[in-house]
């Protein structure tokens, strides 16, 4: 063992402590994965120092690669000698990997390519996925427009005469001339502006380009991403424990909401509104109009000096100083960067973004790396670099959820109204290209409104009446993309051209700006600077939702489904409609993830519980050859006597615990659970965390306990806290919970108060279950109430289950998925019917969703080698003899370090109580030694 530890110290000298053997094994497995490339899944239980092991192994590999580069002087000579690509094989040594040779040769050109792409409007639309039959001829496109409502010249003049009565200075909202393919020169092949109408970038764009020029070439880097900002901050704290914090360049990225220091913008609160306002301020100039002069026939432009409208993004000098400070101070987390930005009075969001090209380590949230449009916007170059995705247990679902799109009925009505008003005001002033595309947008908004407001047929109405006994169910339907387009008669419109027009013409900001200004003057109100009324459901948000839906419709027919949730009449005899939305649900992440794998040298998926790995493989990279996939798993560092997992099948009165969907709400089951906790608070010291399936169930149980007097009995021993629904107050509740435990634990022995700690009622899937660590007294006992299966009434979940059921079984009989399926949202029985029809992957996926949530929750305890905790799995479905368990049994899907120590069956609660008493007495005595 000592020899192994000395070997690890030599290979990973940055590890700040003497590593345990499992940490050494993990670091070696990661290092080997980086050497080999491909995709690796590395599993290490929570509390085993996984983050520190990732840092010391991955960054050591980067340092070693840089040392190899320095030793290869011939490569630098080759780069400088006219970039002789044809001879690089002769100039290189045989032991240098191909990917490294390519990286060194091409990195000078990556920065150039990025600049060229940026000048050519390189920021992509995001989701691409184009279907051939939608590339239609100009005649078909024009015919579609003529079939729908189009405005004649006379109608335009009439509409304009009405609008002319309003005293508005509307010139700023008029679109520039736009030529589509059919109007431009033959052979153009692309939409383009008329000659001489140069594109003007914002001052912030110029500053960012200048910053990239000064910072220099791209370097080999590691991208580390996790799900939450708090997890990223924890990563930086672990990094500071190593010498790497001061030896490599590190930059932490995050959302505008987390980085913004402009108080006026921050007051908007909503993330979407903050993003909109930030982008708008970048385009706001000190000079109202940039002076443009055509210089000769080449159509070049000259502009006056223009500044960003945001006061913290006006000085390029301050941004440069911000970058210098980051370089000097070493590893900074988001909070540090915000503090530095406030101190220097410059934007930390764009300041940190400009550091990416020269950083060795980029720390960022999931969305920024996994979304293609986000990567392009941030300028992230994955080519031949390393991608590490932490907390990857739900990666497949997280990835496809990023590509969902949704637009509500109210957003559609708002967008359509603004388009009509804008078109009426500017119709006669717009060129034919602009008129045609604006009319096309109105065709889509009108069609979408039609499908949401359309009356149901007689069969649907009859089913509605049959299902209206009790709660009202919203009528929802699921439809494939092609069927959706055909049914609305919009299948012959070229969506790719339309999206290109939206991107290039600035139509969204023109229409929303005009509409907001007109509405503001009509009400006599004063606009905020920038012309946006940032109320819930802003027009800009509605337009972006529309664009997202249009992008989604360009995906392949089998990649996802359209959910149509019908609008319902407002109750109590009032006029109008409520609810209603269209939503695109992405079902496959294979194509999206392949883009990351194909670019990066190596992709590492890390987590505490990654099993079952086959599901992840089938959903994300089924095409990957076995020699390009690696899996590693290690056990926990805690000794067996430090953990007591028990499957609890019955309560103190002998009643069996059955928290299945149909039984958990019974008063008998709720009372038995309360009596269990009344017993636990007397035997478990310090903190108990109880996980429930949902917030609704917590409310019901809490209310019942209160009326039965059970809550008062519990509170005689422990203070009771509840997880709030909103994330805003979670931190304050956790602080009070910890403060209570610390205060009671440190009281003098002569204090005779019966209180011995606190109890926290939490929810599986909530913030507490996902990323909060409850070490030592914070989590002496974890109680898992039931099996938290997702609601079977969720239409999106059912579509996903049906899709997964058919994975890999092209020739076998799977679930019948028609082009259009109807459901009643909230009807659990219909969902159970679909689940019962599943025999393979769909059923397994549903079970895995539940057990992954269980494993995440119970993994909140046991955070270090000297920690100890009991884990109670309260439901008879957990209990069984190990020899009689099937592969799908819940106990078999527990982490190995828990499963191997599970007390899977007991005769009565008294036996469990004795086990708990002995366990805590033993660990108390061990701690006193």
């Amino acid at each position: 063992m000592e020899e192994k530890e000395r070997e690890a110290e030599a290979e990973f000298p940055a590890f700040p402590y003497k590593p345990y053997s499992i940490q050494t094994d993990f670091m070696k497995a990661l290092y080997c994965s980086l050497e080999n490339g491909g995709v690796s899944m590395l599993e290490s239980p929570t509390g085993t120092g996984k983050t520190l092991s990732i840092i010391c192994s991955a960054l050591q590999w980067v340092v070693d690669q840089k040392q190899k580069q320095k030793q290869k002087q011939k490569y630098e000579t080759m780069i400088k000698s006219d970039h002789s690509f044809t001879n690089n094989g002769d100039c290189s040594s045989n032991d240098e990997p191909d990917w490294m040779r390519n990286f060194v040769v091409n990195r000078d050109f990556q920065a150039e390519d990025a600049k060229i792409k940026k000048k050519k409007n390189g920021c992509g639309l995001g989701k691409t996925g184009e279907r051939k039959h939608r590339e239609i001829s100009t005649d078909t496109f024009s015919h579609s427009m003529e079939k729908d409502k189009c405005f004649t010249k006379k109608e335009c003049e009439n509409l304009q005469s009405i609008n002319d009565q309003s005293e508005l200075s509307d010139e700023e909202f008029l679109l520039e001339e736009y030529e589509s393919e059919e109007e431009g020169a033959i052979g153009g092949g692309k939409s383009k502006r008329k000659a001489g109408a140069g594109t003007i970038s914002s001052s912030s764009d110029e500053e960012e380009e200048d910053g990239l020029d000064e910072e220099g070439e791209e370097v080999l880097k590691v991208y580390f991403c996790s799900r939450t900002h708090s997890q990223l901050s924890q990563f930086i704290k672990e990094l500071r424990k190593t010498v790497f914090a001061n030896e490599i360049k590190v930059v932490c990225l995050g959302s505008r909401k987390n980085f913004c220091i402009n108080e006026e913008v921050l007051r908007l609160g909503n993330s979407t509104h903050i993003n909109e306002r930030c982008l708008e301020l970048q385009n706001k100039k000190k000079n109202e109009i940039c002076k443009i002069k055509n210089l000769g026939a080449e159509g070049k432009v000259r502009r006056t000096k223009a500044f960003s409208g945001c006061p913290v993004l006006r000085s390029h000098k301050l941004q440069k100083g911000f970058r210098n400070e980051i370089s000097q101070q070493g590893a900074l987390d988001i909070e540090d960067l915000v503090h530095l930005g406030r101190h220097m009075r410059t934007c930390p969001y764009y300041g940190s973004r400009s550091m990416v090209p020269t950083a060795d380590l980029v720390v960022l949230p999931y969305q920024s790396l996994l979304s293609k449009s986000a990567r392009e916007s941030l300028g992230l170059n994955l080519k031949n670099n390393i991608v590490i995705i932490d907390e990857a247990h739900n990666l497949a679902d997280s990835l496809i959820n990023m590509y969902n799109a949704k637009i509500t009925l109210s957003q559609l009505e708002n967008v359509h109204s603004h388009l009509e008003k804008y078109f009426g005001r500017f119709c006669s002033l717009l060129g034919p290209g602009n008129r045609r595309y604006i009319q096309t947008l109105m065709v889509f908004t009108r069609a979408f409104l039609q499908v949401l407001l359309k009356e149901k047929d007689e069969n649907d109405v009859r089913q509605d009446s049959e299902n209206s006994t009790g709660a009202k169910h919203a009528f929802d339907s699921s439809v494939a993309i092609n069927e959706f387009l055909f049914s609305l008669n919009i299948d012959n419109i070229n969506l790719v051209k339309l999206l290109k027009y939206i991107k290039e013409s600035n139509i969204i900001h023109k229409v929303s700006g005009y509409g907001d200004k007109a509405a503001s003057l009509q009400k006599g109100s004063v606009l905020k600077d920038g012309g946006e009324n940032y109320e819930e459901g802003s027009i800009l948000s509605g337009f972006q939702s529309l664009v997202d839906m249009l992008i989604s419709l360009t995906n392949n027919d089998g990649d996802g489904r359209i959910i149509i949730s019908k609008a319902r009449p407002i109750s109590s005899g009032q006029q109008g409609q409520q609810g209603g939305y269209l939503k695109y649900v992405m079902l496959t992440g294979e194509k999206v993830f392949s883009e990351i794998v194909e670019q990066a040298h190596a992709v590492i998926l890390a987590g505490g519980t990654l099993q079952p790995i086959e599901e992840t493989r089938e959903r994300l990279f089924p095409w990957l050859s076995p020699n390009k996939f690696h899996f590693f798993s290690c056990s926990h560092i805690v000794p067996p006597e430090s953990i007591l997992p028990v499957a609890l099948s019955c309560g103190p009165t002998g009643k069996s615990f059955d928290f299945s969907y149909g039984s958990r709400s019974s008063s008998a089951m709720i009372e038995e659970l309360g009596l269990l906790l009344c017993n636990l608070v007397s035997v478990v010291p310090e903190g108990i965390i109880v996980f429930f399936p949902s917030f609704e169930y917590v409310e019901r149980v809490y209310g019942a306990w209160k009326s039965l007097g059970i809550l008062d009995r519990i509170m005689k021993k422990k203070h009771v806290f509840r997880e709030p629904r909103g994330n805003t107050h979670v931190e304050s509740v956790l602080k009070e919970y910890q403060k209570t435990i610390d205060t009671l634990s440190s009281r003098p022995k002569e204090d005779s108060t019966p209180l011995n700690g606190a109890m926290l009622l939490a929810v599986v899937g909530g913030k507490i279950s996902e990323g909060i660590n409850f070490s030592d007294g914070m989590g002496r006992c974890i109680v898992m109430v039931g099996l938290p299966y997702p609601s079977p009434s969720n239409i999106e979940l059912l579509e996903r289950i049906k899709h997964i059921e058919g994975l890999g079984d092209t020739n076998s009989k799977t679930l019948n998925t028609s082009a259009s399926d109807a459901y009643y949202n909230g009807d659990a029985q219909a969902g159970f019917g679909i689940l019962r029809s599943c025999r393979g992957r769909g059923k397994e996926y549903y079970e895995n969703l539940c057990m992954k949530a269980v494993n995440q929750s119970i993994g909140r305890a046991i955070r270090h080698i000297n920690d100890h905790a009991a884990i109670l799995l309260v439901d008879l479905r957990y209990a069984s003899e190990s020899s009689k368990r099937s592969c799908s049994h819940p106990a078999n899907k527990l982490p190995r370090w828990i499963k191997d120590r599970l007390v899977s069956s007991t005769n009565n609660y008294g036996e469990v109580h004795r086990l708990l008493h002995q366990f805590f007495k033993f660990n108390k005595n061990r701690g006193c030694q």
Side-chain angles (χ1 to χ4, degrees), residues 617-791:
R617 286 194 65 176
E618 287 180 344
R619 295 183 64 192
L620 292 182
F621 41 91
W623 39 266
L624 196 69
S625 59
N627 65 318
K628 281 293 182 180
F629 175 74
H630 316 282
F631 177 72
F632 171 84
S633 180
C634 62
S635 59
H636 211 294
I637 56 175
V638 296
E641 59 269 19
S642 295
I643 177 175
L644 177 63
V646 180
L648 196 57
S649 57
C650 59
T653 69
K655 286 190 177 71
S656 294
F657 282 126
D658 179 11
F659 290 98
S660 59
Y661 187 81
S663 305
R664 68 187 184 193
S665 297
S666 70
S667 56
M669 200 57 52
I670 292 174
E671 184 177 4
E672 192 73 7
L673 177 62
L675 294 176
L676 168 65
L677 294 177
C678 287
N679 281 272
L680 290 181
V681 294
S682 64
V683 69
V684 178
E686 301 175 296
I688 298 177
I689 303 163
V690 187
F691 284 106
F692 291 86
S694 67
F695 282 104
E696 290 78 14
Y697 191 57
V698 173
E699 293 293 335
R700 179 174 294 184
V701 169
Y702 190 86
W705 287 350
K706 201 170 184 179
S707 61
L708 292 169
I710 290 175
L711 195 61
D712 290 334
R713 291 174 59 184
I714 294 173
M715 293 181 72
K716 286 179 182 178
K717 285 287 188 180
K718 294 187 188 291
H719 287 290
V720 177
F721 298 87
R722 282 190 291 172
E723 178 179 3
R725 283 179 180 265
N727 290 341
T728 310
H729 303 293
V730 170
E731 190 172 342
S732 60
V733 170
L734 288 174
K735 283 182 179 178
E736 283 298 312
Y737 172 72
Q738 183 172 13
K739 182 181 176 182
T740 301
I741 292 172
D742 290 343
T743 302
L744 292 172
S745 299
S746 59
R747 65 185 176 179
K749 291 183 179 180
E750 56 269 17
D751 190 338
S752 60
T753 178
L755 286 170
N756 64 3
M759 178 184 292
L760 176 60
L761 309 182
V763 175
V764 175
K767 186 170 183 179
I768 287 176
S769 71
E770 288 289 337
I772 309 299
N773 298 333
F774 293 96
S775 60
D776 302 314
M778 289 273 284
R780 285 299 178 216
C781 181
I782 305 293
V783 180
M784 174 59 62
V785 179
L787 285 156
Y789 286 105
S791 170

Side-chain angles (χ1 to χ4, degrees), residues 206-208 210-211 214 305 313-321 323:
E206 292 179 64
E207 290 175 4
E208 283 184 69
D210 291 343
E214 291 178 10
K305 180 65 176 176
L313 195 57
R314 288 177 179 167
S315 172
H316 174 54
K317 185 177 180 181
L318 285 177
Q319 282 284 290
K320 185 177 180 181
R323 293 194 292 269

Side-chain angles (χ1 to χ4, degrees), residues 66 192 310 416 464 494 539 564 657 742 808 843 883 894:
K66 287 188 175 183
K192 61 180 181 179
C310 182
H416 187 73
D464 256 344
N494 191 320
I539 180 60
I564 304 170
F657 282 126
D742 290 343
K843 180 184 178 184
S883 59
L894 292 167

Side-chain angles (χ1 to χ4, degrees), residues 512-556:
S512 60
Y514 170 76
D516 285 326
K517 186 171 182 180
S520 174
L521 292 180
Q522 186 177 0
K523 294 176 183 176
S525 63
V526 179
L527 273 178
K528 294 180 180 179
D529 182 30
E532 178 64 76
N533 290 318
Y534 287 96
E535 301 170 357
E536 186 176 358
S538 73
I539 180 60
L540 214 52
S541 299
F543 264 113
Q544 189 54 55
S545 296
L546 176 64
V547 172
D548 289 342
M549 276 301 299
L550 296 178
I551 292 172
S552 297
L553 294 176
T554 64
N555 283 311
N556 293 329

